[in-house]
Amino acid sequence: MARRRERAGWAFVAPNVAAVAIFLLFPLGFSLYLSFHSWDLFSPMRFVGVDNYRRLFGSDPLFLIALRNTAVFTVSTLVPTVGIGLVVAAALNRKLAGIGLFRTIAFLPLVASAVAMAVVWRFLFTDDGLLNSALGGLGIGAVPWLTDPDWALVSLSIVTVWKSVPFATVILLAAMQGVPETLYEAAKIDGAGALRRFFAITLPLIRGPLSFVFIITIINSVQAFDQAYALTGGNGGPETGTYLLGIMLFQHAFGFYEVGYASALAWVIFAMLFLLTLVQLRLARRSEVEQ
């Protein structure tokens, strides 16, 4: 009977195991294999060893530009996303009449297509768009949202934050709703105000979900491509203002057909994200131990 149940269990999980092997493990292994080859999809592969990695770190100036832009973009996305997510989650974590409607409105960007919302924002960012019209009504001159390299990265960060805040809010709101109400009642009896209760009770008890939001936001920012492509095109313009690692990967893989070089870049991005995740998890665990 035990063997029969074991065979039945393997039969049930076999399709999922096969799907993981075919659509996850094989592409990962094949991309690692490709990173040591030169291939343009048409001619036979040619083994080049670590030349792709040597070129990436030693002779490609665009890699440093993409790395710098991605770092700035990640920081300018991470801080507002976490900050606004905390504020919105705390505001929605109340028992008020009609709070369900406000929660629904706050979560709407989460279900919108990234490309569709980027196209809408592109119209808002035009020289005679809604944002510049509103600024003109306030006596402020038009802002070159998508025509100036520095402002283009700011515009991309705004769109990404708008898209990322609802996810962060969902996670943080669920965590806040799991905090025992008795702790807040005891703090009120001791005379603690709303801010004191938030920083002394809420934040320490949602440190795990908050760390998860940090990691996911960093991963999504480093891997950003679709919103950058839809907002400023696939060239990372204007000039190199929005030339991110995702745009660089797309260009070399599907624009220049340098599949091996693009695979090497993909594994470098994976290594950076892996290290950042380990550092964040270690810091989170150290904070929990100190508590």
Side-chain angles (χ1 to χ4, degrees):
M1 180 64 69
R3 291 181 179 178
R4 185 179 302 174
R5 290 180 178 177
E6 183 179 356
R7 287 195 296 268
W10 278 109
F12 277 113
V13 302
N16 289 331
V17 173
V20 170
I22 294 173
F23 297 108
L24 181 62
L25 298 181
F26 173 74
L28 283 174
F30 189 57
S31 65
L32 181 61
Y33 174 78
L34 286 175
S35 68
F36 298 102
H37 291 76
S38 176
W39 189 38
D40 61 0
L41 296 177
F42 303 103
S43 59
M45 294 185 192
R46 182 171 57 87
F47 180 77
V48 295
V50 296
D51 285 353
N52 288 327
Y53 295 94
R54 187 180 296 113
R55 172 189 168 189
L56 189 64
F57 289 105
S59 60
D60 192 343
L62 288 178
F63 173 68
L64 295 179
I65 294 176
L67 190 62
R68 181 200 61 195
N69 288 344
T70 302
V72 174
F73 171 72
T74 300
V75 173
S76 60
T77 300
L78 176 65
V79 176
T81 297
V82 175
I84 297 174
L86 277 172
V87 173
V88 175
L92 296 178
N93 189 29
R94 298 186 177 187
K95 297 179 181 179
L96 300 175
I99 194 66
L101 177 62
F102 289 102
R103 290 176 180 175
T104 303
I105 295 174
F107 298 154
L108 282 179
L110 189 62
V111 300
S113 168
V115 175
M117 61 88 180
V119 172
V120 173
W121 277 97
R122 187 170 185 173
F123 283 107
L124 296 177
F125 283 138
T126 55
D127 292 337
D128 55 351
L130 181 61
L131 290 179
N132 279 335
S133 298
L135 293 176
L138 298 175
I140 303 176
V143 175
W145 297 104
L146 299 178
T147 55
D148 182 84
D150 295 330
W151 277 107
L153 192 60
V154 173
S155 304
L156 181 60
S157 300
I158 292 174
V159 176
T160 306
V161 169
W162 180 84
K163 179 68 176 176
S164 303
V165 163
F167 174 80
T169 302
V170 169
I171 301 299
L172 297 176
L173 178 59
M176 289 179 183
Q177 290 180 341
V179 177
E181 191 66 27
T182 54
L183 297 178
Y184 294 117
E185 295 175 356
K188 288 181 181 178
I189 295 175
D190 291 338
L195 288 178
R196 178 65 175 175
R197 294 195 301 269
F198 180 78
F199 286 103
I201 298 175
T202 305
L203 278 184
L205 292 180
I206 65 169
R207 183 173 285 108
L210 188 60
S211 178
F212 173 77
V213 170
F214 263 90
I215 293 172
I216 294 300
T217 305
I218 291 174
I219 291 174
N220 291 337
S221 299
V222 174
Q223 293 181 336
F225 166 75
D226 46 1
Q227 63 266 37
Y229 184 89
L231 195 65
T232 60
N235 296 322
E239 298 177 8
T240 57
T242 59
Y243 192 76
L244 306 178
L245 290 174
I247 295 293
M248 182 179 181
L249 177 62
F250 172 79
Q251 280 189 345
H252 284 282
F254 304 105
F256 307 145
Y257 296 107
E258 295 179 328
V259 180
Y261 189 64
S263 298
L265 175 59
W267 275 93
V268 169
I269 295 174
F270 168 77
M272 291 190 300
L273 289 175
F274 183 72
L275 291 176
L276 287 173
T277 302
L278 288 180
V279 171
Q280 176 61 30
L281 289 176
R282 177 164 295 185
L283 291 176
R285 290 173 182 172
R286 182 179 299 176
S287 299
E288 291 178 358
V289 171
E290 292 176 353
Q291 291 291 330

